[in-house]
């Protein structure tokens, strides 16, 4: 039987790995992410299946090859954690999952946006502490008569646009890669400057590309936003200059910041800290300590049942197609 060792399998995911195993693979489900220290757990397998922060570097791939493991697949869209050059040299096949339910991230982005838009976070914190006063900062616009700006109108951006349109909001978008300058995926496109000026909620769905989307939202862009604009980042931390956001929050230049991604994510997310001061990134400590109008979620955008089912089913199909035909549609090497 073809044996797959899958890493980073959370307890809630085990049933799904078993239920969707229609090909009868022999599964070795490991809760920990793959690192150098636990690589031996793959011994005796034919293949491994990774998650985003698993270490698929040359050192681990070389060991896999020595042990007869010829398939290193990832159940994620991104594959920068797999050394493809090393895989090619070692004649190891690699594949990924090119997409899963875009609503997973889109719904979280919308929830973060609406939570901040209606000041639910501070109201909740206050009522939990016994303060039931109706405070001035709770005064709000309504979404059906507001404007939402989507930056990056691909799969997830389009799904979020659909959700907000359903609530009656005016949705505008900005995308730098488009054949039609007016519309992309049903979203009316405007210039970045116009979007920053007009939108009450701005949601980012661009990939992180060094030198392109790096710090796409910086001091100059924050300056152009409305003073009560809500900024949402479920894309990648590097797309936003956090220092500039902190300054803008301090100066009441924006209304709030919601994010599912932070720098030094690997050292923070997945861990529990006794005190916020113990976080390895003090910018994050400062945001959490000083700003009730900041929400951080620990990269849970894709942690939904439909997205998980897509990730597992497509991965299994990648393995079966490769066994049957020597390749699969999602092959990387
Ligand atoms: P996609 O490729 O379908 O869409 C990305 C869009 O961004 C494209 O339309 C592209 O043209 C546009 N774009 C690229 N560079 C741009 C730029 N400089 N300015 C404006 N637009 C630009 O990707 P997707 O599936 O919608 O995913 C978007 C991003 O969401 C991913 O790259 C990833 O970083 C992030 N993501 C986050 C999570 C999470 O759990 N939080 C999960 C999946 C994906």
């Amino acid at each position: 039987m073809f044996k797959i060792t899958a890493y980073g399998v959370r307890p809630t995911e085990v049933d799904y790995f078993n239920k969707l195993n229609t090909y009868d693979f022999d599964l070795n489900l490991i809760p920990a992410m793959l690192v150098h220290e636990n690589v031996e757990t793959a011994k005796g397998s034919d293949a491994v299946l990774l998650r985003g922060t698993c270490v698929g570097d040359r050192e681990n791939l070389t060991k896999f090859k020595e042990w007869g493991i010829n398939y290193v697949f990832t159940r994620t869209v991104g594959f920068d954690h797999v050394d493809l050059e090393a895989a090619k040299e070692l004649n190891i096949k690699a594949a990924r999952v090119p997409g899963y339910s875009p609503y997973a991230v889109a719904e979280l982005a919308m929830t973060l946006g609406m939570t901040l838009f209606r000041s639910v976070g501070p109201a909740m914190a206050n009522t939990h502490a016994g303060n039931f006063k109706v405070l001035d900062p709770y005064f709000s616009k309504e979404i059906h008569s507001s404007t939402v700006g989507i930056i990056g109108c691909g799969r997830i951006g389009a799904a979020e646009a659909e959700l907000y349109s359903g609530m009656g909001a005016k949705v505008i978008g900005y995308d730098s890669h488009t054949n039609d300058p007016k519309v992309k995926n049903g979203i009316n496109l405007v210039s970045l400057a116009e979007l920053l000026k007009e939108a009450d909620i701005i949601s980012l769905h661009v990939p992180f590309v060094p030198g392109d989307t790096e710090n796409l939202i910086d001091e100059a862009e924050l300056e152009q936003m409305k003073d009560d604009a809500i900024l949402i980042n479920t894309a990648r931390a590097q797309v936003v200059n956090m220092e500039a956001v902190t300054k803008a929050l301090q100066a009441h230049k924006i209304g709030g910041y919601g994010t599912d991604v932070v720098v030094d994510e690997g050292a923070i997310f997945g861990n529990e800290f006794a005190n916020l001061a113990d976080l390895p990134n003090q910018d994050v400590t400062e945001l959490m300590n000083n700003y009730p109008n900041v929400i951080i979620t620990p990269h849970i955008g894709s942690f939904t049942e439909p997205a998980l089912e897509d990730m597992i089913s497509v991965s299994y199909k990648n393995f079966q197609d490769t066994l049957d035909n020597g390749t699969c549609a999602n092959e990387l090497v």
Side-chain angles (χ1 to χ4, degrees), residues 77 98-100 102 104-105 108 151-158 174-178 184-185 192 204-209 212-214 216 233-236 239 260-261 265 299-303 311:
V77 177
Y100 43 80
V105 181
L108 179 73
I151 299 183
C153 305
R155 294 175 73 246
I156 298 173
Y174 168 72
D175 197 294
S176 60
H177 301 77
T178 172
K184 182 160 185 182
N185 288 328
L192 180 59
L204 299 165
H205 297 295
V206 292
F208 166 53
V209 181
D212 178 13
T213 56
E214 194 170 5
L216 182 69
N233 183 9
T234 55
R236 285 291 178 269
V239 169
D260 194 38
V261 285
E265 206 166 292
H299 210 135
I300 56 171
S302 58
F303 192 43
M311 284 178 207

Side-chain angles (χ1 to χ4, degrees), residues 102-324:
Y103 293 98
V105 181
E107 287 180 8
L108 179 73
M110 190 207 72
T111 304
L112 294 176
M114 286 305 297
T115 302
L116 288 164
F117 189 70
R118 293 306 305 262
S119 303
V120 174
M124 250 172 68
N126 286 332
T127 53
H128 272 287
N131 184 350
F132 290 84
K133 283 182 180 168
V134 177
L135 303 177
D136 282 350
Y138 304 167
F139 191 60
S140 176
K141 295 174 183 171
E142 293 180 8
I143 197 67
H144 78 94
S145 47
S146 297
T147 300
V148 175
I150 304 284
I151 299 183
C153 305
R155 294 175 73 246
I156 298 173
E160 193 184 17
E162 191 189 318
L163 298 173
Y164 273 119
S165 297
M167 293 196 287
K170 176 182 172 188
V171 178
I172 52 177
Y174 168 72
D175 197 294
S176 60
H177 301 77
T178 172
N179 297 327
D180 182 345
K182 291 201 172 127
V183 180
K184 182 160 185 182
N185 288 328
I187 306 172
N188 290 325
L189 298 179
V190 296
S191 67
L192 180 59
E194 190 177 340
L195 185 147
L196 296 172
K197 183 166 162 253
E198 295 298 325
D200 300 291
I201 296 178
I202 296 171
S203 192
L204 299 165
H205 297 295
V206 292
F208 166 53
V209 181
D212 178 13
T213 56
E214 194 170 5
N215 291 338
L216 182 69
I217 301 298
D218 211 327
E219 227 166 286
E221 288 70 32
L222 290 158
E223 192 53 45
Q224 293 171 65
M225 293 178 193
K226 292 182 181 178
D227 286 352
D228 58 356
I230 304 291
L231 178 64
I232 303 297
N233 183 9
T234 55
R236 285 291 178 269
Q238 298 91 333
V239 169
V240 169
N241 181 342
M242 277 280 288
E243 210 182 301
V245 167
T246 308
K247 271 192 201 156
L249 287 162
Q250 199 174 23
H252 302 284
K253 183 60 209 76
I254 58 169
Y257 183 54
T259 185
D260 194 38
V261 285
V262 296
V263 276
D264 299 328
E265 206 166 292
I268 298 177
F269 293 171
N271 298 308
E272 189 174 349
F273 299 90
N275 295 297
L276 282 170
D278 300 337
L279 292 182
N281 183 327
Q282 289 303 299
D283 289 343
V284 180
T285 303
E286 191 187 332
L287 279 181
M288 292 280 78
N289 272 334
N290 300 332
Y291 301 100
N293 53 344
V294 168
I295 303 178
I296 299 180
T297 48
H299 210 135
I300 56 171
S302 58
F303 192 43
T304 68
E305 186 174 65
L308 177 68
E309 288 180 339
D310 289 349
M311 284 178 207
I312 298 172
S313 312
V314 174
S315 297
Y316 285 163
K317 189 167 182 325
N318 285 344
F319 282 121
Q320 192 59 45
D321 286 353
T322 305
L323 290 176
D324 291 344

Side-chain angles (χ1 to χ4, degrees), residues 5 7-8 32-39 42 47-65 67 69 71-76 78-90 92-95 332-333:
T5 293
Y7 289 94
M33 294 290 182
L34 171 68
V35 287
H36 290 150
E37 291 71 25
N38 67 359
V39 66
V48 295
L49 183 60
L50 309 182
R51 256 182 56 201
T53 48
C54 285
V55 179
D57 65 356
R58 182 177 288 274
E59 183 178 326
N60 279 346
L61 295 188
T62 305
K63 287 190 176 151
F64 289 153
K65 190 69 191 179
W67 302 331
I69 297 169
Y71 310 92
V72 176
F73 289 9
T74 181
R75 62 167 153 134
T76 52
F79 49 87
D80 49 312
H81 52 293
V82 184
D83 184 338
L84 293 183
E85 216 175 282
K88 196 173 171 185
E89 280 172 34
L90 293 162
I92 285 177
K93 282 196 181 293
L332 295 166
V333 178

